[in-house]
Amino acid sequence: YGNATSLAIWPGKLIVQLDQDEGAPGGSKLLAFDCATGRLLWDRTKPTHGSWASPIIFEAAGKTQIITLALPLVMSSSLADGTELWRAELMEGEITPSPILAAGLVLVVNPSSKLFALRPDGAGDVTKSHVAWTAEDNIPDVTSPVSHGELIFTVTSGGLLTCFDVKDGKMVWQKELEL
């Protein structure tokens, strides 16, 4: 499919997530550009590959963080200089759903497998220490979740719409859509 991630913007900075297939020339990178001039602000190599998810940016734990999903990691990087803040080895398969932030948690979909809620205040490898909860039923394969802060909504390619509680990941309801 080629590169299909969307850009992310934060006042004055344009963020580009470039996750390449394993072994691609140049490897995977996270880049920041000055919006007004196009000047490259920083360029960081990433130990990841294979992603079509788009990055998100938010403030948490006293830092402005960029969250990216790519095989095999959920990564948080500093907006200031691109250095890695934390990582969780949770991703597998074709990563297409993008992460979201809801109720102070980073929500990520491991396609057709699990929905993870991570606390964004860690450092280093947080795979075992910062997963708040997981859900395993009716997990989307391609689409990104959405939330209004209390509930999370997902839909599978087969048309199964599911609502989860953001506090604990428990399913609230589900509905099959007519396709």
Side-chain angles (χ1 to χ4, degrees):
Y1 309 112
N3 188 36
T5 186
S6 297
L7 305 172
I9 199 162
W10 193 262
K13 292 183 180 174
L14 176 69
I15 304 301
V16 179
Q17 175 182 347
L18 183 61
D19 284 299
Q20 304 290 315
D21 287 330
E22 192 170 9
S28 295
K29 296 180 176 196
L30 188 62
L31 306 112
F33 295 90
D34 180 275
C35 288
T37 66
R39 180 178 60 88
L40 179 66
L41 300 172
W42 49 258
D43 174 346
R44 297 289 178 255
T45 301
K46 294 175 61 197
T48 55
H49 59 91
S51 178
W52 293 274
S54 298
I56 61 170
I57 304 170
F58 59 84
E59 291 180 359
K63 300 174 185 119
T64 305
Q65 302 182 37
I66 305 165
I67 303 294
T68 57
L69 308 182
L71 290 175
L73 303 173
V74 177
M75 286 183 69
S76 171
S77 302
S78 168
L79 180 68
D81 60 9
T83 57
E84 182 181 312
L85 299 172
W86 56 264
R87 69 168 66 188
E89 191 168 339
L90 302 172
M91 307 310 294
E92 53 190 33
E94 291 194 4
I95 309 304
T96 52
S98 296
I100 66 169
L101 183 72
L105 297 170
V106 176
L107 301 168
V108 300
V109 173
N110 186 351
S112 300
S113 176
K114 293 181 182 176
L115 173 63
F116 291 98
L118 295 131
R119 292 182 305 278
D121 60 350
D125 185 347
V126 301
T127 306
K128 295 183 178 169
S129 62
H130 278 66
V131 175
W133 54 258
T134 62
E136 297 185 28
D137 294 322
N138 309 331
I139 305 304
D141 51 348
V142 177
T143 62
S144 302
V146 296
S147 176
H148 68 21
E150 295 176 17
L151 301 172
I152 305 156
F153 303 93
T154 64
V155 66
T156 65
S157 293
L160 188 58
L161 176 64
T162 306
C163 174
F164 299 93
D165 189 314
V166 76
K167 291 186 304 277
D168 57 15
K170 302 283 187 222
M171 186 186 315
V172 177
W173 55 261
Q174 65 181 4
K175 178 172 177 58
E176 286 193 43
L177 303 174
E178 294 180 29
L179 300 179

